[in-house]
Amino acid sequence: MDTGRTIPLADKRNFSMLTRVLAGAAALAAAAGLATPAAASTPPSPGAEPQVVGGTRADQGEFPWMVRLSMGCGGALYTDQIVLTAAHCVDRTGADSSITATLGVVDLQSSSAKKVRSTYVYRSPTYDSTGGDWALIKLASPVSGIPTLPIAKNADNNSGTFTIAGWGAAQEGGAQQRYLLKAEVPFVDDSTCQSQGGDYADLKPDAELCAGKLDTGGVDTCQGDSGGPMFRRDGAGEWIQVGIVSWGDGCARAHAPGVYTEVSTFASDIAAAAGKI
Ligand code: 4AZ
């Protein structure tokens, strides 16, 4: 895949789906023990190599609601039986037992990982028209003892410094990761994000949030982090989800911020859908 080129907007969804297939293949390779050492087999020493891009290893239990999905995406536990992820990580709304969620571990190969099958997928009905890259995955049974991540219901926390985390590539075009990586990225306002040009000119300001180190790059989500949460602490000091990893022009490039679903815009839709599935 040529990730060095700007993805035309019309092709973005196809690009995401291709990415998902590739990420899934990488995850399968890792599960089968076929991955390169950088991907999985040797526990890396924290801080020794570039990590999410430009991050570090998360501690066990630090972000307990982080979920890895078997198609090669991330997610966050929204209720004890529903995972919030990206619409572009799933195909359609309907019964679906094809997805396995891995929960409760930073190490995907840990023997204490909880693995639960999906029963149903709800894909945002507006994603293909007005935007809203979010989806819900219902699990076959509730998980116990794993905290959920509350979603932002208003825009109060839609700026500042955000935390990102995932098992996706630690560099553009790189391997999926065995250990959960984390990093911090600054908010980029809508008009600055749009003025980066290319796909960014078509940013949907109410539906999408941008974040990244605009001038230097170097820290970002990347392939396979899609669907995972972007979060920060709210005024009460509690973690709150403000974004869902959606897209970007490559990974960690200067003047190419990560783009995230603006969760607060869709909070009532998400809650309503979760109440029905
Ligand atoms: C992806 O394809 C993806 N740099 C996720 C995040 C970003 C780009 C691509 C943002 O999953």
Side-chain angles (χ1 to χ4, degrees):
M1 166 177 44
D2 181 7
T3 49
R5 293 173 53 198
T6 300
I7 311 303
L9 187 66
D11 293 342
K12 202 184 293 156
R13 182 159 162 264
N14 288 337
F15 168 71
S16 297
M17 293 178 79
L18 174 63
T19 298
R20 181 160 63 83
V21 169
L22 293 173
L28 286 174
L34 300 172
T36 60
S41 40
T42 317
S45 49
E49 55 192 66
Q51 316 241 307
V52 138
V53 179
T56 56
R57 290 254 302 267
D59 293 327
Q60 177 61 36
E62 189 175 6
F63 308 122
W65 20 257
M66 284 295 306
V67 180
R68 177 66 171 179
L69 298 169
S70 55
M71 84 294 274
C73 278
L77 196 64
Y78 175 67
T79 73
D80 65 1
Q81 202 170 352
I82 296 177
V83 176
L84 177 60
T85 186
H88 83 259
C89 289
V90 302
D91 294 326
R92 69 186 76 78
T93 293
D96 188 336
S97 59
S98 73
I99 303 165
T100 300
T102 301
L103 306 99
V105 291
V106 293
D107 174 4
L108 294 178
Q109 294 182 23
S110 168
S111 57
S112 46
K114 292 191 185 192
K115 298 198 184 219
V116 189
R117 281 264 175 188
S118 61
T119 54
Y120 191 84
V121 166
Y122 182 90
R123 187 176 187 268
S124 165
T126 60
Y127 176 54
D128 295 321
S129 50
T130 52
D133 191 4
W134 64 270
L136 298 174
I137 294 174
K138 184 158 191 185
L139 304 176
S141 55
V143 291
S144 57
I146 301 187
T148 55
L149 179 59
I151 62 172
K153 294 186 175 62
N154 57 54
D156 290 358
N157 294 291
N158 287 357
S159 63
T161 301
F162 304 123
T163 301
I164 50 176
W167 289 271
Q171 57 184 37
E172 197 175 312
Q176 299 293 294
Q177 299 292 300
R178 170 177 171 175
Y179 296 93
L180 181 65
L181 302 180
K182 62 171 179 177
E184 292 188 348
V185 281
F187 170 69
V188 175
D189 70 76
D190 288 332
S191 60
T192 302
C193 194
Q194 285 172 318
S195 69
Q196 305 312 306
D199 288 348
Y200 295 99
D202 298 314
L203 185 84
K204 299 180 176 78
D206 296 330
E208 296 176 316
L209 272 178
C210 300
K213 295 191 171 177
L214 205 59
D215 291 337
T216 62
V219 186
D220 199 3
T221 44
C222 200
Q223 288 86 17
D225 292 322
S226 273
M230 179 170 80
F231 45 95
R232 55 160 289 168
R233 292 200 188 267
D234 67 10
E238 304 293 337
W239 288 119
I240 187 168
Q241 180 171 0
V242 298
I244 299 168
V245 179
S246 185
W247 62 275
D249 182 11
C251 306
R253 302 179 189 183
H255 300 288
V259 182
Y260 299 81
T261 313
E262 190 163 327
V263 165
S264 58
T265 297
F266 301 101
S268 59
D269 295 338
I270 292 168
K276 279 189 241 160
I277 66 172

